[in-house]
């Protein structure tokens, strides 16, 4: 299950941050994820809440901010944002495109106490 692995890795990273900087309590976590990652934010948050029990992140608000999928076409120069994973220009139909955004995955924000 992808969401379990993701929640576990986030929890490990948060525990490492807390240990390194002596933070006692994490109150909020914001994960930035590209739309092509197809993350289920509710499921990930639910799993994270279970995994983080007994850690500084227990009870933290866990949310996901999605970054849209953006392409640029080499043939016509157009840029566009889409929910589709089709690597084809929405303007001229060329397949000579670059994926600019949509695969991001990072912990964007951690709010802590102490």
């Amino acid at each position: 299950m992808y969401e379990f692995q993701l929640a576990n890795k986030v929890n490990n990273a948060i525990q490492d941050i807390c240990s390194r900087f002596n933070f006692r309590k994490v109150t909020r976590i914001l994960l930035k994820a590209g739309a092509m990652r197809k993350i289920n934010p509710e499921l990930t948050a639910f799993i994270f809440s279970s995994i983080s029990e007994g850690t500084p992140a227990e009870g933290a608000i866990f949310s996901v901010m999605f970054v849209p999928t953006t392409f640029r076409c080499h043939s016509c120069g157009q840029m566009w944002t889409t929910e589709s994973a089709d690597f084809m220009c929405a303007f001229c139909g060329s397949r000579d495109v670059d994926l600019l955004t949509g695969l991001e995955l990072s912990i964007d924000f951690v709010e802590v106490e102490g």
Side-chain angles (χ1 to χ4, degrees), residues 90-106:
F91 297 93
C92 72
S94 172
R95 294 243 178 233
D96 188 13
V97 299
D98 284 332
L99 175 66
L100 302 178
T101 64
L103 289 176
E104 296 80 1
L105 186 58
S106 63

Side-chain angles (χ1 to χ4, degrees), residues 15 20 24 28 43 49 64 72-73 81 96 106 113:
Q15 285 188 57
R20 201 175 324 155
R24 294 190 175 133
R28 198 172 89 167
L43 179 58
S49 70
V64 179
R72 179 179 53 225
C73 179
T81 300
D96 188 13
S106 63
E113 293 177 358

Side-chain angles (χ1 to χ4, degrees), residues 43-56:
L43 179 58
T44 306
F46 175 76
I47 294 169
F48 183 83
S49 70
S50 296
I51 289 174
S52 64
E53 286 182 7
T55 74

Side-chain angles (χ1 to χ4, degrees), residues 35-98:
M36 291 185 76
R37 295 283 181 177
K38 303 292 186 197
I39 294 170
N40 180 322
E42 293 85 12
L43 179 58
T44 306
F46 175 76
I47 294 169
F48 183 83
S49 70
S50 296
I51 289 174
S52 64
E53 286 182 7
T55 74
E58 181 175 1
I61 297 167
F62 184 97
S63 55
V64 179
M65 175 181 70
F66 285 101
V67 178
T69 304
T70 306
F71 291 96
R72 179 179 53 225
C73 179
H74 286 277
S75 297
C76 70
Q78 293 288 332
M79 286 179 52
W80 70 99
T81 300
T82 181
E83 293 187 20
S84 168
D86 189 10
F87 283 70
M88 184 172 74
C89 180
F91 297 93
C92 72
S94 172
R95 294 243 178 233
D96 188 13
V97 299
D98 284 332

